[in-house]
Amino acid sequence: MSNNRREFLKLAGLAGISLAGTGLMSGCATAEQPAALADIRKQAGRSHTQRFNMSGYSAPKLETVRVGFVGLGMRGPGAVNRMSHIEGVDIKALCDLRPEKVQAMQKKLSGTSHKPTSYTGKEDAWKEMCDRDDIDLIYIATPWYLHTPMAVYAMEQGKHVAVEVPAAKTVEECWQLVETSERTRKHCMMLENCCYDFFELLTLNMARQGYFGDIIHGEGAYIHNLVDLNFAKDGYYDMWRLKENLHRNGNLYPTHGLGPICQVMNINRGDQMDYLVSVSSNDFTMADTSRQRAGSDPFYKEYVSDNYRGNMNTTTIRTKNGRTIMIQHDVSSTRPYSRIHLVSGTKGVARKYPEERIANSHEGWLSDAEFKALEEKYTPAITKRVGEMAKKIGGHGGMDFMMDWRLIDCLRNGLPLDQDVYDAALWSAVSPLGEWSVANRSQSIDVPDFTAGAWATNKPVDISLQRGGTTNVKA
């Protein structure tokens, strides 16, 4: 190697430029790196002047929350049903591209007090719904690529927004959500239901009361074999979720495991993500499945590809305060369902899967009786208030109902939301940032601060039901 070559490599290393194989991998598009990833580092490093701090923001009280739903496929019908059981909710509109989906939901609501208007049959029918002046909240349960455009448009029309996960697919979309919410002063809550599961709420309350001491490390995941569902013709409309697994390699669905850990660590409210590193395995399942299906059914020929994302993605994150987070994504391996949910502190540890356990020393997990005593002591107010009714009404064991009830109760009482637009943006941004890291031989990449520094003084999530908890549930 020549002296000039050695000097170049030395200077490149000092400048933070990584070399992979024979090509410079500094965030520019290459043959190995899709052009869509080229702008991620630029978007991640954007400076932002906060127009208005939406963290802790209390919007004016709404005695009745008038709701419009868009997307009545996989998740939407369940949300409509749950909302119909909550006091102070008026379901004003139902929207889906497919008329039969709207008609089916209208039939289920017949005989109730809700008389929604139908919007269907046109690609932009949802805009007509958002344009109405008698709707307060737009509830979005559509394919991922529509989440940000719909949320931004709804806020522009003066509506609060509740949007399914992930709230955005790109870092640029994350910034759009933040800037629109701050400018319009309308809530944008990502519907991360796992933050409202019973054990996650328990461990959050324990962390708030210091049981675990200083939080050191957290782990979360979405490990769920979805191969058959993703390839099912009658599964996701127009095979949209299968398409998401093509040409994107990273953690496509991080927020179920990430959200509860971020709340325990007070991310965006006392701590902030600093940088992340992401690595993916090869794909050992999806490409083979596409070829097998196409061999017996021509319908699948267009989905035959060697560009499916890897089975297992592992993303590690370091925070400004020196904590670490590990998030995994695997929806194509034969593994039992798990979100991990591990909280590790200086005084104790909690783990949800394969079974709920707490420990306060290195000697092992507490006994069932000891765990039960802790559960009775630390069960939070929201679980005591609506937990049993949530189990009856349902939605992933009840957590979906607790999420919807909490959202409505906060809007009716003029309280800050547990999840604000900064959470929606940050938790969603882990996907595109991780994709960039995977494409660049697992280089670290800075995580943008969507709060513009306000994280240092923002207050932690309050789940005490102070001034709230007044909304009743209808059987």
Side-chain angles (χ1 to χ4, degrees):
M1 185 182 293
S2 68
N3 288 333
N4 288 340
R5 173 70 169 163
R6 290 193 185 93
E7 188 63 21
F8 170 77
L9 291 174
K10 179 179 177 182
L11 291 174
L14 291 174
I17 301 176
S18 175
L19 292 148
T22 60
L24 288 174
M25 302 292 285
S26 58
C28 298
T30 68
E32 294 78 25
Q33 181 185 7
L37 294 176
D39 196 45
I40 289 178
R41 177 170 265 178
K42 177 182 177 182
Q43 292 293 336
R46 278 181 54 179
S47 60
H48 172 62
T49 300
Q50 191 174 74
R51 180 187 291 257
F52 180 82
N53 190 355
M54 292 298 294
S55 181
Y57 170 62
S58 298
K61 294 181 181 181
L62 296 169
E63 181 176 348
T64 299
V65 182
R66 301 166 298 179
V67 188
F69 292 86
V70 54
L72 299 173
M74 280 283 191
R75 302 296 295 273
V80 176
N81 175 65
R82 295 189 303 270
M83 284 288 193
S84 71
H85 290 278
I86 302 176
E87 178 189 55
V89 169
D90 184 4
I91 299 174
K92 301 291 288 187
L94 299 173
C95 179
D96 194 282
L97 180 62
R98 298 158 291 180
E100 67 273 15
K101 294 295 184 179
V102 178
Q103 292 166 6
M105 204 67 247
Q106 289 280 18
K107 185 176 180 180
K108 289 184 178 180
L109 288 176
S110 64
T112 72
S113 61
H114 304 285
K115 308 297 179 186
T117 303
S118 295
Y119 293 87
T120 187
K122 297 188 298 182
E123 290 283 353
D124 60 352
W126 60 274
K127 289 186 176 180
E128 296 179 18
M129 180 180 69
C130 292
D131 290 341
R132 291 173 55 164
D133 59 7
D134 62 346
I135 291 178
D136 306 299
L137 173 69
I138 297 294
Y139 198 111
I140 301 169
T142 57
W144 299 345
Y145 65 91
L146 292 170
H147 287 181
T148 293
M150 288 182 170
V152 167
Y153 187 86
M155 286 187 283
E156 295 280 11
Q157 308 313 309
K159 313 299 189 289
H160 297 301
V161 168
V163 56
E164 268 292 351
V165 302
K169 284 184 57 178
T170 69
V171 181
E172 181 179 5
E173 285 186 339
C174 292
W175 282 116
Q176 290 175 22
L177 293 175
V178 168
E179 291 169 349
T180 306
S181 180
E182 288 183 353
R183 176 166 42 79
T184 61
R185 299 194 184 187
K186 293 299 176 181
H187 289 302
C188 179
M189 173 183 170
M190 184 168 65
L191 293 162
E192 185 36 77
N193 54 346
C194 294
C195 290
Y196 296 88
D197 209 351
F198 293 84
F199 191 70
E200 283 84 342
L201 283 170
L202 175 68
T203 52
L204 176 59
N205 197 35
M206 293 174 75
R208 288 286 179 272
Q209 299 189 43
Y211 181 87
F212 301 113
D214 291 330
I215 305 298
I216 302 168
H217 175 73
E219 297 181 9
Y222 189 66
I223 297 172
H224 187 190
N225 190 346
L226 296 175
V227 173
D228 287 342
L229 181 58
N230 283 344
F231 277 94
K233 296 179 183 178
D234 59 350
Y236 296 99
Y237 174 71
D238 194 32
M239 309 295 284
W240 70 261
R241 193 154 181 174
L242 181 63
K243 294 173 183 177
E244 290 286 352
N245 286 265
L246 269 166
H247 310 295
R248 296 180 63 198
N249 196 10
N251 189 329
L252 307 190
Y253 203 63
T255 69
H256 282 341
L258 182 62
I261 295 299
C262 285
Q263 289 193 332
V264 165
M265 290 186 175
N266 293 330
I267 301 298
N268 283 334
R269 300 165 180 82
D271 199 358
Q272 185 58 281
M273 295 183 193
D274 192 2
Y275 60 88
L276 65 76
V277 171
S278 189
V279 61
S280 287
S281 73
N282 283 350
D283 164 42
F284 294 85
T285 306
M286 300 288 279
D288 287 345
T289 301
S290 70
R291 284 189 287 269
Q292 291 168 6
R293 297 286 179 110
S296 58
D297 189 341
F299 172 84
Y300 290 102
K301 287 185 177 180
E302 67 175 291
Y303 301 108
V304 173
S305 174
D306 290 321
N307 293 317
Y308 283 97
R309 51 121 191 98
N311 284 56
M312 171 59 77
N313 174 273
T314 300
T315 299
T316 54
I317 303 165
R318 181 178 170 88
T319 76
K320 298 287 189 181
N321 291 345
R323 300 182 175 103
T324 54
I325 304 171
M326 187 275 287
I327 301 295
Q328 290 187 321
H329 175 269
D330 186 346
V331 294
S332 53
S333 299
T334 52
R335 291 181 57 177
Y337 181 93
S338 175
R339 299 196 305 271
I340 300 179
H341 189 64
L342 184 140
V343 178
S344 180
T346 56
K347 294 181 179 180
V349 62
R351 183 201 68 195
K352 182 169 184 176
Y353 293 90
E355 56 185 354
E356 297 174 357
R357 282 289 181 254
I358 303 288
N360 56 18
S361 78
H362 66 280
E363 296 177 354
W365 304 107
L366 298 180
S367 68
D368 290 345
E370 291 170 318
F371 175 80
K372 184 66 175 178
L374 285 176
E375 191 175 31
E376 291 177 357
K377 179 179 180 180
Y378 289 103
T379 294
I382 183 175
T383 304
K384 294 177 181 178
R385 176 70 174 81
V386 296
E388 289 306 312
M389 183 60 72
K391 292 177 183 177
K392 294 178 182 178
I393 295 174
H396 293 93
M399 62 182 177
D400 294 1
F401 180 80
M402 283 207 285
M403 172 184 69
D404 291 336
W405 177 88
R406 175 68 166 170
L407 168 60
I408 296 301
D409 191 64
C410 287
L411 291 175
R412 295 186 72 213
N413 287 283
L415 300 175
L417 303 188
D418 302 330
Q419 300 174 44
D420 57 38
V421 70
Y422 307 115
D423 301 316
L426 180 63
W427 303 352
S428 298
V430 168
S431 287
L433 295 172
E435 289 177 65
W436 185 93
S437 181
V438 168
N440 285 275
R441 292 179 61 87
S442 300
Q443 286 189 67
S444 65
I445 184 168
D446 290 342
V447 179
D449 175 15
F450 295 103
T451 75
W455 63 267
T457 54
N458 288 341
K459 302 301 181 185
V461 172
D462 180 8
I463 57 172
S464 66
L465 297 187
Q466 292 181 8
R467 296 186 295 130
T470 62
T471 299
N472 293 318
V473 179
K474 297 178 286 186

